Amino acid sequence: MKIAVIGGAGYIGSHVVRELLDFGHEVFVYDNLSSGLRQNLFEEANFTHGDILDVQKLNEFFCVTKPDGIVHLAALKAAGESMLLPEKYSVHNITGSLNILNAASKHSVKYIVFSSSAAVYGSPKYLPMDEKHPTEPENYYGYTKLAIEQYLQWYGKLKGIKYAALRYFNAAGYDAKGRISGLEQNPANLIPIVMEAAIGKRASVSVFGNDYETEDGTGVRDYIHVSDLARAHRMAFDKLQGSESFIVNLGVNSGNSVLEVIKATERISGKKINYQITGRRAGDPAVVLANPALAKEFLGWQAESSDLETLLETTWKAYIR
Ligand code: WQD
């Protein structure tokens, strides 16, 4: 299949591109390199440097590449920042996605696989969270992902584009074969922050609260390996060819606490990681866990590389490469 990966130079996007290439797809990457990196590009995938806010360029890209399907991962993703700068998230995430949808309709794209997020649910009302869990995002970033899912639904109805919205839980890890080397710049997520502390790039890690109702008092999250995520994107295209549009969670239903992540990284890296307990971060739930049953039943997907050891080992290797 001819597949355009929008945001294909980013952390998750580059893993998706690698997976699609490995399975014989013809891949085109469109990325503005605002957080994506040139070193994450592959020779076999034709690259266009462009912004999703540049409607003309986007249309030219679709006109030249004529993709059957697209993966849309081009978005801002810092939940905290989205509460301070909602306008920025409206423009980049919502307007940008509408530009993609309009260009996709105009150029008769059949399938869209969309990078959605567990952030659409907001605080867990029950655990593990399945796709029927109420969608009440607690940050504007999560709202933009939910709004885009709704646009996808309308464009599906009105323009006949089939879509898969993949709701990722906490993405982590790196390609086990070391083919992706670009590290996230100024990370806001726990695992890259812990890695930066391990390589000495930062002095210590702030642990946001140790008084949660969890075993060690620190927050528990469902970490999912980026290569498992990438595989789900490829499988989503296979599935869409014979099914209706769908929304699935991608997670493991098994969690790790902040302290577990720090301790396991110390063991794997052999480095001492300094940390201090600070106050809770606003809006952080104690525990977030996915119910991935639907992904298994419907898509035939399940995590294979998302144990903490593999997640941290592959990440550590990327940091010391
Ligand atoms: C994990 C745990 C923190 C940093 C975010 C988005 C979510 C999704 C995934 C994309 C929590 C703790 C963190 C630090 C810490 N993104 N922590 N010190 O908040 O679960 O999810 O990324 O869709 O929408 O909100 O991930 O990695 O920030 O935090 O103690 O310096 O680590 O409190 O318990 P989060 P995270």
Side-chain angles (χ1 to χ4, degrees):
M1 200 188 280
K2 282 169 86 166
I3 301 177
V5 182
I6 305 177
Y11 164 57
I12 299 176
S14 55
H15 284 85
V16 171
V17 170
R18 191 60 263 166
E19 169 80 12
L20 294 172
L21 289 170
D22 286 351
F23 280 79
H25 293 287
E26 193 180 346
V27 182
F28 304 93
V29 172
Y30 189 88
D31 199 301
N32 69 358
L33 299 179
S34 66
S35 57
L37 299 166
R38 270 190 198 277
Q39 75 191 90
N40 282 345
L41 297 169
F42 296 98
E43 243 170 52
E44 311 95 286
N46 195 286
F47 172 60
T48 301
H49 186 188
D51 200 298
I52 55 174
L53 298 177
D54 184 344
V55 173
Q56 199 187 331
K57 186 130 198 194
L58 195 57
N59 274 289
E60 277 165 22
F61 171 72
F62 278 99
C63 190
V64 171
T65 58
K66 297 186 177 51
D68 305 299
I70 62 179
V71 184
H72 171 24
L73 312 106
L76 301 174
K77 60 161 192 163
E81 184 192 50
S82 76
M83 299 298 276
L84 302 170
L85 303 171
E87 301 88 343
K88 188 172 162 189
Y89 280 71
S90 299
V91 172
H92 287 269
N93 291 10
I94 296 183
T95 307
S97 294
L98 287 171
N99 290 344
I100 292 173
L101 275 173
N102 289 340
S105 311
K106 192 167 163 187
H107 296 279
S108 309
V109 170
K110 296 191 202 74
Y111 313 109
I112 298 186
V113 175
F114 173 59
S115 159
S116 190
S117 168
V120 301
Y121 295 121
S123 279
K125 296 196 166 29
Y126 58 84
L127 290 169
M129 297 155 95
D130 58 18
E131 294 80 359
K132 294 196 180 80
H133 186 283
T135 46
E136 294 169 9
E138 288 194 352
N139 52 63
Y140 192 66
Y141 160 75
Y143 168 72
T144 65
K145 291 285 173 179
L146 184 60
I148 299 158
E149 285 191 1
Q150 291 168 349
Y151 288 122
L152 283 168
Q153 208 182 348
W154 275 107
Y155 274 68
K157 257 191 259 182
L158 303 175
K159 308 293 294 188
I161 302 180
K162 288 208 255 182
Y163 71 90
L166 307 181
R167 292 177 174 167
Y168 316 154
F169 281 66
N170 289 58
Y174 271 81
D175 177 54
K177 294 185 182 146
R179 294 169 296 178
I180 288 146
S181 56
L183 300 177
E184 282 194 281
Q185 305 303 306
N186 309 313
N189 294 113
L190 178 68
I191 291 181
I193 286 174
V194 170
M195 292 291 155
E196 287 191 355
I199 58 164
K201 194 173 172 190
R202 61 173 78 215
S204 72
V205 176
S206 299
V207 174
F208 298 148
N210 67 349
D211 56 354
Y212 285 104
E213 279 190 26
T214 61
E215 220 158 277
D216 64 23
T218 65
V220 169
R221 294 294 180 272
D222 190 325
Y223 294 98
I224 171 88
H225 198 289
V226 66
S227 298
D228 283 332
L229 291 182
R231 190 162 39 85
H233 291 70
R234 173 180 54 80
M235 294 172 81
F237 281 111
D238 294 344
K239 187 72 189 178
L240 280 174
Q241 290 175 61
S243 83
E244 291 311 305
S245 298
F246 60 93
I247 297 177
V248 286
N249 284 343
L250 297 178
V252 192
N253 190 15
S254 124
N256 294 106
S257 74
V258 176
L259 288 181
E260 277 174 339
V261 168
I262 292 175
K263 295 292 162 207
T265 305
E266 283 190 327
R267 185 165 37 74
I268 287 163
S269 66
K271 307 281 181 191
K272 170 101 187 75
I273 296 168
N274 296 318
Y275 65 87
Q276 73 274 345
I277 312 292
T278 62
R280 291 183 179 195
R281 183 171 66 178
D284 267 358
V287 182
V288 177
L289 291 174
N291 180 339
L294 187 64
K296 185 168 184 197
E297 280 157 31
F298 183 75
L299 198 56
W301 172 92
Q302 59 184 339
E304 289 171 2
S305 315
S306 297
D307 56 286
L308 190 60
E309 204 73 11
T310 307
L311 285 166
L312 296 178
E313 257 175 30
T314 55
T315 312
W316 175 241
K317 283 190 183 142
Y319 274 77
I320 54 170
R321 205 170 284 132

